[in-house]
Amino acid sequence: MIIGNWKMNTPRSDALALANAVVEMKYLESTRVGICPPALWIDSITRIVKGSSILIGAQDCVGDKFGAQTGCINANMVHEAGCSMVILGHSERRTRFAETTEKLLHTIAAVLETGMFPVFCVGETKKQRESGKAFDVVAGQLRPLLTSGLDLGGIVIAYEPVWAIGTGLSATRKDIEEMHAIVREVINRDDTLVLYGGSVSPVSAADIFNAEGVSGALVGGASLSANKFAAIVAAWERR
Ligand code: 13P
């Protein structure tokens, strides 16, 4: 599974052009490809990808069904707009909005209830890695899922080390293999997809995709170029 997270990029005309280019991409039926545009463009982009197998996702949503929550968009709304997944717990949101796994359980449940799947992000900071706490941090971010009673069968996990996001410095194959093993040990399910995210590019992709336990990628910056995104998908298929 290769997912593009466009974050807060792409003005409308760029977003629609990029979505049209992604639809033209050739990839194998066995590869699941998705894009997560800014929420305002989801409705239009859903129409562009109609008839293709490109999945559309939201970059966030809230769990409540309605109410006085100015500025919020809920799981039912993004589902109705055509999404089949929602990124939750991205480090940029954990940092800016103090999101924690505990606070997100309600949202994960709401996303699952619609039939969409969450792409649930975990990852340590540079400081946490340097002080030898990376495994504990990531395991700690995952553990509340286990006691939540949620059906983990529907959840995709993305390991995104914070220090690798947008830095051009992806984690090494060894780092990725070690952490993906920890994620799989904690989740304790054979069928969970565990993506890697953090400076995935056409250059870094081949090595990342050869790492044991990697089920694909959550791509930021490189997903803003249809050519680079296609090259990453091709690298996945060549691995
Ligand atoms: P980059 O690929 O730009 O490092 O971003 C990764 C990311 O945060 C995807 O969610």
Side-chain angles (χ1 to χ4, degrees):
M1 176 179 284
I2 311 290
I3 308 289
N5 174 9
W6 296 359
K7 307 192 180 182
M8 198 180 66
N9 296 297
T10 63
R12 184 177 168 85
S13 57
D14 291 5
L16 303 192
L18 184 53
N20 273 299
V22 170
V23 169
E24 294 302 316
M25 246 170 59
K26 300 273 174 283
Y27 57 92
L28 301 174
E29 221 170 278
S30 54
T31 311
R32 291 164 84 191
V33 177
I35 49 176
C36 302
L40 277 173
W41 318 146
I42 287 172
D43 207 35
S44 306
I45 289 182
T46 303
R47 274 172 246 181
I48 291 174
V49 306
K50 204 168 179 208
S52 79
S53 55
I54 303 285
L55 305 173
I56 301 297
Q59 299 173 14
D60 180 54
C61 71
V62 298
D64 294 337
K65 288 200 166 59
F66 52 84
Q69 298 189 30
T70 303
C72 296
I73 299 172
N74 70 26
N76 289 327
M77 291 168 180
V78 295
H79 180 241
E80 205 178 334
C83 287
S84 46
M85 64 181 152
V86 184
I87 299 173
L88 290 176
H90 192 284
S91 64
E92 286 149 17
R93 297 197 58 87
R94 287 182 187 263
T95 308
R96 283 176 71 94
F97 305 108
E99 290 185 354
T100 61
T101 304
E102 287 85 350
K103 287 188 198 166
L104 289 165
L105 290 176
H106 172 55
T107 317
I108 297 172
V111 166
L112 289 171
E113 203 185 305
T114 64
M116 298 186 291
F117 62 89
V119 178
F120 185 73
C121 303
V122 294
E124 81 287 358
T125 62
K126 187 164 189 264
K127 195 164 158 207
Q128 289 165 335
R129 176 158 284 266
E130 284 171 354
S131 57
K133 296 194 184 117
F135 298 148
D136 287 346
V137 167
V138 169
Q141 288 169 338
L142 290 168
R143 259 185 217 113
L145 297 175
L146 304 176
T147 48
S148 64
L150 293 168
D151 176 10
L152 300 185
I155 294 184
V156 173
I157 306 289
Y159 167 53
E160 298 206 311
V162 179
W163 47 272
I165 295 176
T167 58
L169 185 81
S170 54
T172 63
R173 184 167 164 172
K174 180 171 165 281
D175 291 339
I176 296 172
E177 286 181 344
E178 283 175 354
M179 192 61 88
H180 279 234
I182 299 281
V183 170
R184 290 184 181 284
E185 190 183 307
V186 175
I187 292 288
N188 195 22
R189 294 183 63 105
D190 294 336
D191 56 353
T192 302
L193 297 185
V194 186
L195 312 180
Y196 166 80
S199 295
V200 178
S201 71
V203 177
S204 64
D207 205 33
I208 291 166
F209 293 153
N210 279 316
E212 181 83 31
V214 171
S215 322
L218 184 55
V219 186
S223 71
L224 299 173
S225 149
N227 286 342
K228 287 185 185 168
F229 192 54
I232 292 167
V233 171
W236 171 254
E237 294 179 346
R238 267 199 314 272
R239 76 197 184 281

